[in-house]
Structures are given as C-alpha cells and as structure tokens.
Amino acid sequence: MATETTAEGCEACPAHHAGNLIKLGVNMSNWDYVVALAGNPNTGKSTVFNALTGLRQHTGNWPGKTVVRAEGGFSFGGGRYKLVDLPGTYSLLSTSLDEEVARDFILFGQPDVTVIVVDATRLERNLNLVLQVLEIRDRAVVCLNLMDEAKRHGLQIDDRRLARDLGVPVVPAAARQGEGIPLLIETLAQVATGQVVCKPHRLKNETPAMRKAIDRLVAKIESVYPDLPNIRWVALRLLEGDKRIIEAVRTGELGDLSRGTPGDPGTLSEVTR
Amino acid sequence: MSAENRGEEILSEAAAVRWEAGPNFHDSLMETIYTDASQVADRAVSRTDEQPRFDLDRTIDRLVTSRWLGFPMMLAILTVVFWLTIEGANLPSGMLATLLIDNIHTTLKAGSAELGIPWWLDGFLLDGVYLAMAWVIAVMLPPMAIFFPIFTLLEDFGYLPRVAFNLDNLFRKSGAHGKQALTMSMGFGCNAAAIVSTRVIDSPRERLIAIVTNNFALCNGRWPTQILVASIFIGGLAPQHMAGLVSAGAVVGIAVLGILLTFVVSWALSNTILKGEASAFSLELPPYRPPRVLQTIYTSIIDRTLIVLWRAVIFAVPAGAVIWLSSNIIVGDASLAEHFINFTHPFGLLLGLNGVILLAYVVAIPANEIVVPTILMLTVLSAKMAGMGEGAGVMFELDSETTTAAIFQAGGWTLLTAVNLMLFSLIHNPCSTTIYTIWKETRSAKWTTISALLPVGMGFVVCFLVAQVWRLLM
C-alpha cells in the first residue's frame, strides 16, 4: 500500500477526481488493485486504456486489433491501480486464442475490478458478454461507451435502469472525447475499495433441469473447495465440458485459485489485498 | 485426500449430473444468456421518435462495399494514396540526399583526411556505416512520413473492415478464413505484427494458411523499395506530368498482384497439404468515425515512421559495415563482394536481376527496409572499383549528379531489372523478424521452413519466367 500520499482536505474529497489522477504509463512497480478491461471487439477498450494510463497504445477502428494484453497503470486517491487491456471478445465460452487470453485473465488473474466496455449502439449483443463476466466476477463496472454515437443514431439509454438490472454501476462515456472518464475512475475506485458493493445479475431463465444440475454440482465443489470464488461458473463450465477447466480441476490448479496463488506468475504474484 | 483424487471426485459428479441437465446444455445456456440480455436491453434502450432521414454510414457502406463499385473504389483509393506519397516524397528525398550525402559526407571525408585518419578506418566508418545510414534516411523517411499517416487515417476512419468485407467472399472461395482479409491488411503494415494478429482465426488449418501467405502483403519495409523503383524506372517512361500517376499505378499493380497471389497460394494450400472446409464467422462493420487528424498524424509518425526508420537504421549500420568490408577485403584478385557478385551474376541475369541485387537480398535478410540502400551502396562500390581502372571515377560523377537514377544506370540496369526487382521484392522470403515470429506462433520447424522457402522459390520462378518472356518479346 502506498503510504507516502498525504490525503488531506480537498484531496480526500471525491469531487477532486480529475486533479487526483496520476497517469503512470507502464512504470508500475507495486500496485494495490488490478483492474481488467474487457469488452466486445471495437468498443473502444484501448481508447479507455489510453485515457486512464496516459499511454498511447495504437488504436484502430477495426475489430481484432488487440490480440495480446497490454498493461499500464494509474494512481488515484492514494491507491495504485494496474490496468490490463484484454483482447476484445464476444463471449467467454469460445476457443480462439485471443478469447482465451481474456477468459483466463478474468478467471485466473483475479482482478479486483473488471471494467466491461460496451458499445451503447449495440447494447443487446454486448450484454451477452457482460452477463457472462458477471457470472464469474462480483466486482464489476460497466462503461457504456460510444454514447455520442448512440445519440447520433437516435438511441436513448436509461443507464440507471441498466445499473439496477445488472446490479453493478454503469457509467455512460464517450472515451474518444474524454467524456465520462473521471466518473469511471471514481466509480471503479469505489468498487475496488469496497465503498460500493455490487449485487451482480445472475442468470434467471434457466430450465428447472439446468438449475437442479447446477445446484448439485455447486454443492459438490463447495464441499471440496469451500474457499473457491465463483463456484457457480466453474460448475457451468464443467457441465459444458470445457477442457481447460476440466484440466484445472484434475491437476488441482483450481485449488490454488482458492488459496490466492493462481497460475499466471508474471501478473499475479504480487496481487494481495 | 490428494489434489488429484479431489479433482476426480468433482469430475465424476459432473459426469453424473450432466445427463440430468438435458442433452443440449451448451445451447440451453446460450439461450438463457441471450434471453436475459435481450430482456435487460429492452428495458434500458428506447428510440427517440425522430428517425434520422439520411443515414450517412449506411450510404457510404452501400458505396464502398457494393458489388460493382467496391473493388474499383479500393483500387482508386490505393492509387491516390501512393500518388500523394510519390509526388510528395520527391522533393524532400532529394533535399535529404543532398544534405546527408553531398554536404555532410564530403565534409566528414575532408575532415578525416585533415586529421590523418587511416584509410581503412575512414572507409569503414564513413563510406560503410555512415553512408548506409544516410541512404536509409534519405530514401525512406519522406515516403514513410507521408504514407503512414494517410494509411492510419484510413484505418481510423473504419475503411479496413470494409476491405475485409469486399475480400471475404474471395477468401472463402480459396478455402481460407474470411478474417484472413484483416490479417492481410495488417500485413500491409508489418508482416511480423500480422503473424501475431492471426490469433483471431480459430481454426489451426486456416490460421496456418494466413501465416504462410501473409508475406504476399507488401509490408512497411518493402513499400519504399516499390515506390522508389517505380518512380525512377516506370515513371520515367511516362511524360513528366503523368509520371507520378503512372508510378503509383505500378505500385498498386504490385500490391494487387500480392493480393492475387494470396488467393492463389491459399487455394493451393487448402487443396493440398491443408485440406478442409472454410469455417463461417461474422464480420462486424464498425461505424465510421471522423478520424482525429492531428492525433493520428502524431501517433503514426511516432509509432510507425520513426520506429520503422529506427529499425532500418539499426540494421543498416552493421549492413553498411558488412558491405564495406566485403568490398574491401581482397581475396586473390578481387574483393569478397566481387567474388560473390561475379559468381551469382549469371544466375541473376537468368532471373532478369543481377549479382548486386542477389547479394543485397542476402545482406538484407534481417530487414527488408535496407534492400534499396544496400543495392545503391553495392552498385556505387562495385562501379567505383570498375571505374578506377579507367581513371574515370564514377563517384565524382555522382557527386555532381547525385540522383539515384544515375547510380542505377551506372550499374547497368534495364527496365527488366526494375520490373523483376519489384516482383522479387514482393515475392521472396520474409524478413528474419517475421520468420522468428512465425516460429514463436507455430512452434513448428516445418511450417516455419515452408513459410520462409515457399515465397523465395516462387520469386525465382516468377522472375525467371518474366525474364524469358521479356527477352523473347523485346
């Protein structure tokens, strides 16, 4: 924890946000929180990433530009945040290499907050990914990006309603213009520090047979690994026959997850709360 | 209880429960997610009453992806980009050459002569290392500083996915993945980066096709070669006011040939060693976004132009040293370079090239960027050596002229040499960085070798055939 910051007077006030942001670029040695940046392809993740870190990662207007993850950092309100820009994916259930990078990080990388950048003009399709992330992660913020384009196309989005339905904060933004970024930082900091507690949406339209099967398997996994986060999602993946998760169960890698020493050393060894 | 045992216990429970969950668990799960998503979205989104009467995006899309206009517009846009590059780069290139080669090099030579620096050190540093650097900067900086910002603006605007959309059908017909159109577009920037970007393709078979054929997308390092050779030899054939357009057309021709070769080779691979069906995918056409001009120019100059130039300079320094050494280490009756050039010259002529070009391609394996500077230096050095016997120093003549064209003519180039150099620059082995990236991505010696040798083999065949036909007709 960075202790040298003296938080007094207006610096401690949340209204002080913009001036409180220190862009750290890639110069990250130790950090307090890890933030994952997920979203469908071409929704502006890299633009949000650049706005937060001050880096100038090349952004291009086409899907599939980021295939490996980029990392950067910023400091806000005395906390140091490491930001990981993940490749864009439509789902966490697929098999291509770039989607696996995103899936593995969200599951095994144990981010403190997952920011899901969504395209406001294509909300329904983007929500498929949001719902899948919310199955895995409790602490999440939805960044409703491209609001300017939604307006241009005559769309109105009730972000409060959306936040209530999803159970996580929703921040409207137009990242290219820098709109909404200060609020996003403030919100993700509140979620990271536990000031805001999320009650994420869980799937509601399962068939009774599905629900019964899931409950049985969840009980089983719970009896073996009581500390495991997101047991429900692991159960779903096992029922689907996901090879990577089956492998993790078989080798006991899943157990490491509950002890907080997951398998990706470069990014995770220093993550402590 | 060991970790394995506990794991097996969970897995057997999962297997037992799975049949209870119904036969199509994956489909029902996806359905659940979609249903929830559409319910949430329906509640949050509403349309304002007034529908925009004129949808600009859709109108542009209808034009640039139309069955009849799509391809001509693509070619027209490419031609305009190259025409701007060629016309715009002419003047600054000349100025840089005058400054770096005529003025600074001459001054440095005079200075070192005054200080009494031994000839071999002076030659090694000034004629080898410095000249190579100077050539790279003079030849490459201006076209790149114009080409990259324009190309990045197109990318920022959202044109590349439309190119992919236009080409998708052709890729599918070649038995390849439609997303290969995207990785190919990326290859127009850098093949090594494009090899990494083939990760977006799920099927290993189609990913290998994309990797092997990516080299046919002209990269950063090769655009300057094409642009330079085209403007000197092809543009030189046309009347003055048409020269720029004609040379731009020639470069577009080579780029299109590269795209055609991509289809042909993809088709051949998917019908022989990489047999299989093309898989379907959905391609998203992102909305057009007004490009942020200043920011784009800034990042494309910092990110692309200077980085590519820096890489070229780094590789040019040792290359310059190698060139100078090989031209000055005498074994028997001639220098190493002369031995190599004389030895390969007949073979080079058979291909419509020459010994200098072949040596240049060997020296330039680390980076395509330095092919032209290497050819220039080798031609100057070998011409100087030949000229010295006759007492007419070619170098002196060059000092007064200093046009690249004069150097090429001194090296005995013809139009055929130029055409075949452009062809060979398109069809030859990828640079060492790309080969290494292919190895890292595939972890297969076999596919790395195929990716490296297939293009260079094809290049020899194509150049040979063109040379034979040319000589029959001319």
Side-chain angles (χ1 to χ4, degrees), chain B residues 241-300:
Chain B
H241 63 281
M242 293 290 289
L245 210 57
V246 170
S247 16
V251 178
V252 171
I254 291 286
V256 169
L257 177 67
I259 297 175
L260 288 179
L261 282 174
T262 306
F263 290 130
V264 171
V265 176
S266 299
W267 178 83
L269 285 173
S270 71
N271 281 290
T272 53
I273 41 180
L274 286 171
K275 268 203 177 89
E277 289 295 307
S279 49
F281 78 111
S282 65
L283 176 73
E284 195 176 344
L285 294 184
Y288 290 103
R289 290 168 188 159
R292 288 158 298 175
V293 177
L294 289 178
Q295 194 179 338
T296 303
I297 290 175
Y298 174 81
T299 47
S300 71

Side-chain angles (χ1 to χ4, degrees), chain B residues 363-447:
Chain B
V363 175
I365 285 176
N368 281 307
E369 285 87 338
I370 56 172
V371 165
V372 162
T374 309
I375 290 174
L376 292 176
M377 285 189 62
L378 282 170
T379 310
V380 168
L381 285 169
S382 58
K384 182 175 78 173
M385 287 181 288
M388 272 162 98
E390 298 155 23
V394 178
M395 275 299 272
F396 295 110
E397 210 177 301
L398 279 170
D399 271 353
S400 56
E401 284 270 339
T402 336
T403 58
T404 322
I407 301 176
F408 282 143
Q409 269 137 28
W413 284 44
T414 63
L415 187 58
L416 171 65
T417 325
V419 170
N420 270 3
L421 174 60
M422 288 174 75
L423 287 172
F424 193 66
S425 160
L426 172 71
I427 322 169
H428 73 94
N429 54 289
C431 72
S432 56
T433 315
T434 306
I435 296 177
Y436 177 63
T437 313
I438 294 174
W439 160 248
K440 271 203 314 200
E441 291 291 317
T442 61
R443 288 283 161 201
S444 148
K446 178 185 158 200
W447 287 107

Side-chain angles (χ1 to χ4, degrees), chain B residues 58-400:
Chain B
R58 197 143 312 156
T59 314
I60 300 178
D61 266 347
R62 227 170 264 149
L63 275 177
V64 298
T65 62
S66 94
R67 188 176 290 246
W68 305 112
L69 280 175
F71 280 98
M73 278 184 76
M74 229 162 68
L75 293 183
I77 289 173
L78 269 180
T79 311
V80 169
V81 170
F82 291 123
W83 179 74
L84 286 174
T85 309
I86 289 167
E87 288 287 311
N90 242 337
L91 188 67
S93 261
M95 279 162 55
L96 277 173
T98 312
L99 177 74
L100 294 173
I101 294 160
D102 285 3
N103 300 346
I104 297 184
H105 184 246
T106 319
T107 316
L108 285 173
K109 286 293 264 187
S112 88
E114 209 149 289
L115 288 171
I117 291 172
W119 72 271
W120 52 269
L121 185 62
D122 163 274
F124 180 81
L125 288 179
L126 297 182
D127 297 339
V129 173
Y130 173 80
L131 260 192
M133 252 168 56
W135 278 123
V136 165
I137 295 173
V139 168
M140 291 184 56
L141 181 58
M144 285 196 315
I146 299 171
F147 176 72
F148 289 151
I150 302 180
F151 197 77
T152 316
L153 282 176
L154 274 181
E155 186 187 330
D156 204 29
F157 176 59
Y159 185 62
L160 286 190
R162 274 76 190 180
V163 171
F165 182 85
N166 285 339
L167 295 177
D168 169 57
N169 197 21
L170 289 170
F171 273 109
R172 224 188 41 230
K173 284 199 176 124
S174 328
H177 198 291
K179 278 190 198 166
Q180 197 179 326
L182 286 175
T183 64
M184 185 185 75
S185 306
M186 193 108 175
F188 287 133
C190 172
N191 295 136
I195 300 294
V196 178
S197 80
T198 59
R199 291 180 186 184
V200 298
I201 299 174
D202 310 358
S203 123
R205 181 189 78 86
E206 289 159 339
R207 194 170 166 217
L208 275 175
I209 294 180
I211 288 177
V212 174
T213 56
N214 192 267
N215 191 43
F216 297 120
L218 273 179
C219 70
N220 281 340
R222 293 181 280 167
W223 287 116
T225 311
Q226 300 290 349
I227 292 171
L228 190 80
V229 176
S231 38
I232 291 173
F233 284 92
I234 317 279
L237 294 176
Q240 186 95 49
H241 63 281
M242 293 290 289
L245 210 57
V246 170
S247 16
V251 178
V252 171
I254 291 286
V256 169
L257 177 67
I259 297 175
L260 288 179
L261 282 174
T262 306
F263 290 130
V264 171
V265 176
S266 299
W267 178 83
L269 285 173
S270 71
N271 281 290
T272 53
I273 41 180
L274 286 171
K275 268 203 177 89
E277 289 295 307
S279 49
F281 78 111
S282 65
L283 176 73
E284 195 176 344
L285 294 184
Y288 290 103
R289 290 168 188 159
R292 288 158 298 175
V293 177
L294 289 178
Q295 194 179 338
T296 303
I297 290 175
Y298 174 81
T299 47
S300 71
I301 284 184
I302 299 294
D303 280 1
R304 292 197 176 176
T305 310
L306 289 186
I307 285 177
V308 172
L309 187 70
W310 179 238
R311 199 174 96 94
V313 168
I314 292 204
F315 281 109
V317 167
V322 166
I323 294 164
W324 188 86
L325 285 175
S326 65
S327 322
N328 283 279
I329 295 176
I330 310 290
V331 179
D333 54 347
S335 69
L336 284 177
E338 270 178 300
H339 278 303
F340 184 93
I341 292 169
N342 291 338
F343 179 70
T344 54
H345 198 62
F347 181 58
L349 285 183
L350 206 59
L351 298 176
L353 300 166
N354 59 40
V356 168
I357 296 177
L358 291 182
L359 177 55
Y361 269 97
V362 174
V363 175
I365 285 176
N368 281 307
E369 285 87 338
I370 56 172
V371 165
V372 162
T374 309
I375 290 174
L376 292 176
M377 285 189 62
L378 282 170
T379 310
V380 168
L381 285 169
S382 58
K384 182 175 78 173
M385 287 181 288
M388 272 162 98
E390 298 155 23
V394 178
M395 275 299 272
F396 295 110
E397 210 177 301
L398 279 170
D399 271 353
S400 56

Side-chain angles (χ1 to χ4, degrees), chain A residues 42 90 156 176 205 216 240, chain B residues 20 26 36 46 284 286 290:
Chain A
N42 212 42
Y90 292 107
Q156 270 182 340
R176 266 162 68 101
N205 292 300
R216 247 183 85 181
E240 276 206 67
Chain B
E20 266 179 39
H26 178 80
D36 274 26
S46 57
E284 195 176 344

Side-chain angles (χ1 to χ4, degrees), chain A residues 224-244:
Chain A
V224 179
Y225 298 117
D227 302 332
L228 192 70
N230 48 60
I231 290 179
R232 216 179 107 85
W233 191 82
V234 172
L236 283 177
R237 299 310 297 147
L238 284 178
L239 284 173
E240 276 206 67
D242 184 320
K243 288 200 184 69
R244 175 82 176 83

Side-chain angles (χ1 to χ4, degrees), chain B residues 7-80:
Chain B
E8 289 304 332
E9 207 179 301
I10 294 177
L11 291 181
S12 61
E13 178 78 6
V17 160
R18 196 171 297 149
W19 65 267
E20 266 179 39
N24 301 313
F25 187 81
H26 178 80
D27 293 349
S28 346
L29 180 65
M30 289 312 287
E31 219 166 277
T32 312
I33 295 173
Y34 276 74
T35 314
D36 274 26
S38 98
Q39 283 174 358
V40 173
D42 274 353
R43 283 196 291 264
V45 182
S46 57
R47 287 202 154 268
T48 43
D49 290 337
E50 43 188 302
Q51 285 289 329
R53 272 169 308 169
F54 175 70
D55 191 333
L56 184 64
D57 280 30
R58 197 143 312 156
T59 314
I60 300 178
D61 266 347
R62 227 170 264 149
L63 275 177
V64 298
T65 62
S66 94
R67 188 176 290 246
W68 305 112
L69 280 175
F71 280 98
M73 278 184 76
M74 229 162 68
L75 293 183
I77 289 173
L78 269 180
T79 311
V80 169

